[in-house]
Amino acid sequence: MRIAIDAMGGDHAPKVVVEGALAAAKEWSDVEIILVGNSAAIEACLTERPSNLTIRHTEEVIEADDEPVKAVRRKKDASMVVAGRLVREKEAEAMISAGNTGALMTTGLLIVGRIPGIERPALAPMLPTTNGNGVLALDLGANMDATAEHLTQYAIMGSIYRNKVHGIAEPRVGLLNVGTEAMKGNELTKAAYPLLEQAPVRFIGNVESRDVLRAECDVIVCDGFAGNIMLKSLEGAASVFFSVLKAEFTKTWYSKLAAAILKPGIMKFRKQFDYKEHGAGPLLGIQGLVLKCHGSSDANAIKNAVRQARIALQNDLVGAISAEINHGK
């Protein structure tokens, strides 16, 4: 299993990317890691060189503030673009990047290419839940607009992902909405509801955003606009919660004592809701496995992304999605 990693993408690249890739290469000997980027910068971060880790040198980098389409088209030797080209040309089966999200979406579409029959690929990160199993949410930003047919394809792809990668036999699929009643919502959700009922998934109906983290479903589908607002709201709420908690626990010596007693439980709770523990979000609907890590990912998050890619490749995720979407055609 050959996995290309964009070594130059992310807030802390290439150091943490190389560290994560090295840890993954040492743990899984059946995986070949291809670090794509400036060879001198990569080698400066390597403490050792296992036989299943190689470097593909590139001169250019797509920056966080680059305009995605222009960057992908003009920077043909950028680490992200070259990684995508390795997947397209079958020199790798998967690619991982913590770089510019829009550019990665563009790389997936223009360089790797869509699975035939897929109208819109979807970005599908995992959101933490109270039971620790998480919920796969798609789409959370690859496409701002969507049709009812797109949401149905999201549901099918998300259900297959949770089955193949997480081993859930019949993933529960929910439709993000403002109420649980079947006819609630806007024109999009009203049109999507009956299509999801007929789709080859275990559709459980509408799910309100306040219940998403309560593990009401295993897959939640929505358009990218609503999904991204939900994601940013959850991230903001979590950040404020921990900031206020820290301020309260450091006010007096009584509160500091209480904090010392509660610290193990608080740290466990924080870890459960830490994006780094959930690896990367797949870009589903692409003719190769494309995984997006958070821009602030550390080495552990990169290693977790390799673990995800390895499981997905072992279970032929892309092939399973293609077969289901094109069933009977």
Side-chain angles (χ1 to χ4, degrees):
M1 291 176 283
R2 297 164 298 178
I3 302 172
I5 301 180
D6 172 15
M8 313 310 288
D11 299 344
H12 310 297
K15 187 176 186 295
V16 299
V17 180
V18 173
E19 288 173 356
L22 181 58
K26 289 165 66 177
E27 179 151 344
W28 298 297
S29 59
D30 59 350
V31 171
E32 180 187 337
I33 303 291
I34 307 169
L35 281 169
V36 185
N38 184 281
S39 57
I42 293 171
E43 287 170 355
C45 302
L46 278 175
T47 54
E48 54 186 300
R49 189 78 170 268
S51 60
N52 60 334
L53 188 149
T54 59
I55 298 172
R56 179 66 64 95
H57 177 71
T58 64
E59 293 286 346
E60 296 180 293
V61 176
I62 292 179
E63 306 292 347
D65 57 353
D66 279 349
E67 198 283 316
V69 177
K70 287 182 181 178
V72 171
R73 285 178 171 165
R74 294 176 181 176
K75 295 184 175 181
K76 299 187 185 300
D77 192 44
S79 54
M80 184 187 293
V81 175
V82 172
R85 204 152 54 234
L86 290 177
V87 176
R88 184 189 67 194
E89 296 170 0
K90 309 301 182 186
E91 292 183 55
E93 287 75 49
M95 71 168 287
I96 296 169
S97 178
N100 184 313
T101 302
L104 186 63
M105 304 303 142
T106 305
T107 297
L109 281 169
L110 300 184
I111 306 299
V112 182
R114 288 178 297 173
I115 292 173
I118 292 291
E119 294 182 27
R120 296 269 184 92
L123 181 63
M126 289 289 294
L127 299 179
T129 55
T130 52
N131 67 355
N133 293 333
V135 56
L136 187 76
L138 64 168
D139 175 40
L140 291 196
N143 311 284
M144 289 299 106
D145 299 302
T147 65
E149 289 74 18
H150 295 157
L151 295 189
T152 305
Q153 288 194 343
Y154 295 170
I156 294 169
M157 293 191 294
S159 184
I160 293 172
Y161 182 85
R162 295 236 61 180
N163 173 251
K164 295 293 185 181
V165 178
H166 300 135
I168 302 175
E170 293 184 332
R172 299 161 300 157
V173 178
L175 174 64
L176 184 66
N177 213 327
V178 296
T180 57
E181 298 85 355
M183 292 311 295
K184 281 273 187 157
N186 56 17
E187 294 304 315
L188 172 62
T189 56
K190 289 176 184 177
Y193 197 100
L195 294 183
L196 290 169
E197 286 184 307
Q198 298 166 18
V201 299
R202 184 185 171 190
F203 180 54
I204 63 166
N206 292 326
V207 174
E208 296 183 66
S209 58
R210 65 184 176 186
D211 295 321
V212 171
L213 302 190
R214 294 188 176 129
E216 292 289 319
C217 57
D218 304 301
V219 178
I220 187 81
V221 296
C222 53
D223 64 273
F225 185 77
N228 200 262
I229 288 176
M230 177 182 70
L231 175 64
K232 298 293 172 57
S233 297
L234 293 174
E235 287 180 340
S239 177
V240 170
F241 173 78
F242 285 114
S243 295
V244 171
L245 203 61
K246 183 177 180 180
E248 289 297 321
F249 275 144
T250 54
K251 277 186 175 179
T252 66
W253 73 270
Y254 290 108
S255 60
K256 289 178 181 177
L257 179 61
I261 297 170
L262 294 172
K263 187 176 180 180
I266 293 172
M267 294 307 293
K268 182 181 178 181
F269 172 74
R270 185 167 192 164
K271 183 178 181 181
Q272 183 179 338
F273 284 83
D274 187 352
Y275 67 86
K276 297 186 186 75
E277 298 299 318
H278 295 275
L283 181 60
L284 298 177
I286 299 298
Q287 290 197 85
L289 189 62
V290 177
L291 293 170
K292 172 67 176 75
C293 291
H294 198 287
S296 298
S297 291
D298 60 11
N300 188 49
I302 300 297
K303 182 184 175 184
N304 278 337
V306 174
R307 172 182 53 78
Q308 282 177 262
R310 180 174 177 268
I311 295 170
L313 292 173
Q314 286 175 330
N315 289 284
D316 190 24
L317 172 69
V318 175
I321 290 174
S322 180
E324 184 60 55
I325 292 295
N326 295 288
H327 179 69
K329 292 184 179 180

